[in-house]
Amino acid sequence: MGEEGHWQSGQNKVLEFQLQNVNDLGPSAARQVSSSHAADHTSTSSGDQQSNGSAHQAGSRNFEFVLVTDNESRRQVRRHAMRQYMHQRRLDSIARLGTARVPGGGWSTRSSLDFQPSASSSSTGGVKDDAQEDLTVKSEKASSPSSDEDKKTPEMPKSSSRLLIPKLHKVKREDASLRPATKPRASNPLVSPGEGVVRDPFSCYPIATSQADHELIQHFVVTYPTMMYKFADSIANNPMMEIFRQIALHDGLPFQAMLAIASKHRAGVEGKAESVQSLTHKMRALRFMNERIQGDATGQHDGTIYAVATMAVIEKWSKDASIERMHFRGLSSMIRNRGGMHGMRLTSPFLEKVLYWVDFSCAPKAIISTSLPWTGTIPDTTPPLDFLDPNLHLAVPHDATTPEDAESLCAQFRACEDFLRFFRRLRELEGLCLNSPYTVVPETFPRRKKHFRPGTQLYSILTMLPDYDHGIRDIRFIDEYTCMSCLFFLTFALYDCYLNSHNLDEYLDWLSLEVRNLNPFTNPSITSILWLFLNNGGYPKNRPGDAGDRCWIVSRMVRIAKRLEWKRHGTIWDRLRQVLIDFIVTQQECALGSDEIDAETHVARARKRLSYQTHSTDYFWNEVQMREDILELNLPSLTSTSTSIQDNNGLVHT
């Protein structure tokens, strides 16, 4: 008892002497000395109750009591504090990058208390950046569930710097039995889920997914299509669900691309252009895609093509047309290797619809050619449509000054002439139907229904686009492109009816019924209408379609129309849309394709014939100006290259 009392009195004198000289170091050093004394007193009072494991843990701390009496001792304390501070900074950086996870009993994350800066690190000064980093770690931990290890560990004061070493040794002891396992690599998305414990109870996902990733899946299937495209009517009509089922669940690359686009949209919903989560999933998707392309450069796997298309959509939202253009160039090459869109229709019909959907909404500056590849041949061929002329060529003299994109200019010229020829041909067919013989009959019941005129549901959907929150800022133009695509689908159906002496009323009856089935109480979204066309290539689902010709020509026409979007202050774009609407309204008002009409329809036909006689040949627009706007060339310079254009038939003679 005498020796113990003497030892305690001596220890108290040392502590008092340390506290007297600690004023120069500030309150942080005082906390360090007090915590050191408290730990030493606890270890002394426990006596024989300590086990061999606790003795090994205490011995691993290697504490050194320093008597702060002169400048050298103060420098020693400062060096110790700086080493602890730098060590803690490295641990915080590793925690933010997500590479500090060790595979022990499933994926788990340590509590943010494990990575709080120590008391000694606070003595170096309160830097604002460090405080923000600590707040970032706390916020990330608040959104992710804690592991079982963190639940069992009692909460310790944040200012204690001794929590770090015991916890690290504890993790090492747990991982000693897992040394034969391979070490996880952060660059591999297959073994690097997001924060939280793995959530895949049925092992059906192609890559390891955490709770945060599972929330992104829900966002992709529910929130993203609801906000961006208003697919809130029926889950059966939600293409995102089919993408998840048919493509993402079967391959790790499209699954990672799905997480990337979902996290990008989620960041937009939160009012941010990017987030740590969106950038992380985008980086993993790009890295995984580059690794896949090394073994599948031709795009033989559907998942590879879908991933490239998804990355193009992400760049479209980011307003980066150059990167989007690069992705579309690679996408076109893969489609050509698969036999073009004609071959995609035979091998992967659902992926073909997704690709057309992506193409309809792509940015004009990202378009690399006049159309998607139709076949796998070079040069490419076109579908057998009567208004397409594959033999039309533009004579460009080849010399030292000839630009490298001369072939591209020829393809643009053919597409431009096909575009103008379609409208001339459609007007001719409309005139033939107006002048065809018919019989005026008394009004009968039930009266003929006009599904496309002002006041009808289909007319309001295609002429009045609502403005709503898409989740991504400044992205409303995709609704404009989608509406233009739907109008072209209707116009090509009208063209086919005129050409084959059919009545468009049956087609509109089918379309109106499908629209009411989508939502009988309110107007469905314009994208929902587009998918009604895509589901069977623009044909009614109970009738046989074609080999994908109609979808391909709509894609080509929309690409040409996008060149006119901002020409002449947007007036040509508006005029083009109105011309398409007028074609369909004329058929409905005049009952073109019917042999028996009533008196009201007879008056409408007479009025339309009169308008044909009073208007000039430039009924829609000035075709010379249209060529200049589409080709972005001055017509005199075009004709100076020994090329003459005849406006009456659109042929070129060289």
Side-chain angles (χ1 to χ4, degrees):
M1 290 296 291
E3 292 179 358
E4 182 180 358
H6 176 73
W7 182 86
Q8 291 179 353
S9 61
Q11 184 68 16
N12 291 333
K13 292 178 181 181
V14 174
L15 179 59
E16 291 174 359
F17 189 72
Q18 290 178 351
L19 294 176
Q20 290 175 1
N21 293 274
V22 83
N23 294 328
D24 296 336
L25 297 177
S28 61
R31 288 193 297 269
Q32 180 181 2
V33 173
S34 61
S35 62
S36 301
H37 175 69
D40 185 75
H41 179 72
T42 303
S43 62
T44 305
S45 60
S46 61
D48 297 333
Q49 296 179 359
Q50 293 183 345
S51 61
N52 294 333
S54 62
H56 172 72
Q57 182 177 356
S60 64
R61 296 179 180 179
N62 297 328
F63 290 113
E64 179 180 359
F65 291 95
V66 180
L67 186 62
V68 184
T69 57
D70 52 6
N71 292 331
E72 181 63 28
S73 60
R74 293 191 185 96
R75 283 195 295 270
Q76 186 176 357
V77 172
R78 292 192 187 99
R79 285 196 300 269
H80 174 73
M82 183 56 68
R83 284 196 298 268
Q84 292 292 329
Y85 172 74
M86 296 303 296
H87 184 62
Q88 185 65 35
R89 286 294 300 273
R90 286 194 296 270
L91 290 176
D92 291 342
S93 300
I94 293 174
R96 285 193 299 273
L97 292 175
T99 59
R101 302 183 180 91
V102 182
W107 288 96
S108 62
T109 56
R110 287 194 290 274
S111 174
S112 61
L113 296 176
D114 299 345
F115 302 102
Q116 294 295 333
S118 61
S120 60
S121 64
S122 63
S123 64
T124 61
V127 184
K128 294 182 179 180
D129 294 338
D130 299 337
Q132 293 176 358
E133 291 171 358
D134 295 339
L135 291 176
T136 303
V137 175
K138 292 178 183 179
S139 62
E140 290 179 356
K141 182 59 189 176
S143 62
S144 61
S146 60
S147 61
D148 297 334
E149 176 186 339
D150 296 332
K151 294 179 181 179
K152 296 178 182 179
T153 304
E155 184 177 0
M156 299 299 290
K158 295 181 180 180
S159 62
S160 175
S161 63
R162 299 185 181 185
L163 282 175
L164 185 60
I165 297 178
K167 280 186 174 291
L168 288 178
H169 278 273
K170 182 178 180 180
V171 174
K172 289 181 180 179
R173 289 197 303 271
E174 290 181 355
D175 293 341
S177 60
L178 298 176
R179 288 182 180 177
T182 58
K183 294 182 179 180
R185 297 182 302 168
S187 62
N188 189 353
L190 294 177
V191 293
S192 298
E195 293 189 9
V197 184
V198 168
R199 183 172 179 180
D200 188 9
F202 302 104
S203 299
C204 58
Y205 297 150
I207 64 176
T209 56
S210 66
Q211 173 63 26
D213 297 337
H214 190 78
E215 294 176 358
L216 288 179
I217 297 174
Q218 296 293 328
H219 188 94
F220 179 83
V221 175
V222 180
T223 308
Y224 165 49
T226 301
M227 292 191 65
M228 178 65 74
Y229 306 110
K230 297 300 179 184
F231 285 124
D233 305 321
S234 174
I235 195 66
N237 299 315
N238 183 1
M240 299 303 176
M241 176 61 75
E242 292 303 315
I243 291 174
F244 176 69
R245 291 174 179 173
Q246 299 188 28
I247 302 177
L249 276 180
H250 303 283
D251 192 351
L253 176 56
F255 193 92
Q256 183 62 55
M258 176 194 69
L259 296 179
I261 194 172
S263 58
K264 173 69 175 180
H265 185 267
R266 188 175 187 179
V269 172
E270 296 172 355
K272 299 178 290 186
E274 296 287 355
S275 64
V276 175
Q277 187 184 48
S278 65
L279 291 175
T280 300
H281 282 295
K282 179 181 176 181
M283 176 198 67
R284 291 173 181 169
L286 289 174
R287 185 172 300 170
F288 198 7
M289 187 170 64
N290 291 332
E291 294 175 357
R292 173 66 64 82
I293 290 176
Q294 293 178 2
D296 186 23
T298 59
Q300 298 302 315
H301 296 280
D302 290 352
T304 307
I305 297 179
Y306 170 76
V308 176
T310 301
M311 301 312 296
V313 174
I314 293 176
E315 298 302 335
K316 174 185 64 181
W317 294 350
S318 301
K319 309 298 189 299
D320 196 337
S322 60
I323 304 299
E324 183 185 2
R325 183 184 180 91
M326 179 187 66
H327 288 307
F328 267 104
R329 183 178 290 107
L331 188 64
S332 298
S333 177
M334 291 182 179
I335 293 174
R336 183 176 291 106
N337 292 327
R338 290 281 297 270
M341 297 304 293
H342 179 68
M344 293 293 299
R345 181 67 174 268
L346 300 176
T347 58
S348 303
F350 178 73
L351 182 59
E352 179 224 16
K353 302 172 189 175
V354 175
L355 292 178
Y356 278 126
W357 186 24
V358 173
D359 181 72
F360 290 152
S361 61
C362 72
K365 294 182 179 180
I367 298 175
I368 61 173
S369 61
T370 58
S371 63
L372 291 172
W374 172 244
T375 62
T377 60
I378 298 177
D380 196 10
T381 59
T382 58
L385 299 175
D386 64 332
F387 57 88
L388 299 181
D389 187 3
N391 299 320
L392 186 65
H393 297 283
L394 178 65
V396 178
H398 290 271
D399 51 24
T401 61
T402 302
E404 296 180 358
D405 58 348
E407 287 298 327
S408 176
L409 181 60
C410 294
Q412 293 176 13
F413 183 75
R414 283 195 296 270
C416 173
E417 290 303 313
D418 292 341
F419 182 87
L420 298 176
R421 190 183 303 107
F422 167 74
F423 285 96
R424 289 196 303 268
R425 180 64 175 155
L426 181 58
R427 190 190 178 200
E428 293 174 1
L429 293 175
E430 184 183 71
L432 291 176
C433 290
L434 278 173
N435 296 320
S436 62
Y438 57 88
T439 303
V440 179
V441 297
E443 185 175 348
T444 58
F445 293 95
R447 298 187 60 183
R448 171 176 166 267
K449 291 183 179 181
K450 301 177 183 179
H451 296 289
F452 195 85
R453 65 174 183 175
T456 60
Q457 185 181 24
L458 188 59
Y459 184 90
S460 61
I461 294 174
L462 294 175
T463 56
M464 295 180 291
L465 298 178
D467 192 7
Y468 58 89
D469 182 15
H470 293 77
I472 303 293
R473 296 183 60 184
D474 303 328
I475 204 68
R476 188 180 182 272
F477 63 87
I478 63 174
D479 292 338
E480 292 282 347
Y481 299 156
T482 304
C483 179
M484 185 66 73
S485 303
C486 293
L487 289 174
F488 269 113
F489 268 113
L490 273 177
T491 309
F492 279 113
L494 177 64
Y495 183 92
D496 185 70
C497 289
Y498 286 162
L499 191 64
N500 297 292
S501 301
H502 294 161
N503 196 334
L504 187 66
D505 291 350
E506 298 180 3
Y507 188 91
L508 292 178
D509 288 342
W510 160 78
L511 185 59
S512 300
L513 179 61
E514 293 294 329
V515 171
R516 286 195 300 269
N517 291 336
L518 288 176
N519 194 330
F521 306 104
T522 185
N523 289 340
S525 64
I526 188 64
T527 310
S528 301
I529 306 301
L530 176 64
W531 271 90
L532 291 179
F533 293 115
L534 288 175
N535 281 332
N536 197 30
Y539 291 85
K541 62 181 181 180
N542 56 349
R543 291 188 178 182
D546 52 21
D549 305 10
R550 185 170 293 182
C551 290
W552 184 88
I553 192 60
V554 168
S555 171
R556 192 188 197 198
M557 290 292 186
V558 173
R559 287 192 173 202
I560 296 299
K562 288 178 182 179
R563 292 174 171 266
L564 305 171
E565 182 180 8
W566 300 112
K567 299 297 177 61
R568 307 184 189 278
H569 306 286
T571 56
I572 298 183
W573 174 270
D574 296 336
R575 178 58 182 162
L576 174 61
R577 181 172 56 186
Q578 189 59 46
V579 166
L580 294 174
I581 293 173
D582 289 343
F583 270 124
I584 307 170
V585 170
T586 299
Q587 189 278 332
Q588 289 287 280
E589 295 294 334
C590 300
L592 299 181
S594 300
D595 297 331
E596 296 181 353
I597 60 176
D598 55 13
E600 180 182 357
T601 305
H602 173 69
V603 173
R605 288 194 179 189
R607 190 185 305 114
K608 190 65 177 178
R609 284 194 296 268
L610 181 62
S611 66
Y612 264 64
Q613 299 173 0
T614 56
H615 286 80
S616 63
T617 55
D618 291 333
Y619 179 59
F620 305 127
W621 40 62
N622 187 337
E623 289 195 354
V624 176
Q625 293 181 355
M626 289 288 286
R627 289 189 181 93
E628 293 179 353
D629 294 331
I630 293 174
L631 300 176
E632 297 180 353
L633 293 175
N634 190 7
L635 190 59
S637 64
L638 185 64
T639 56
S640 63
T641 60
S642 302
T643 304
S644 62
I645 304 175
Q646 295 183 358
D647 292 340
N648 55 352
N649 54 11
L651 296 180
V652 175
H653 305 280
T654 59

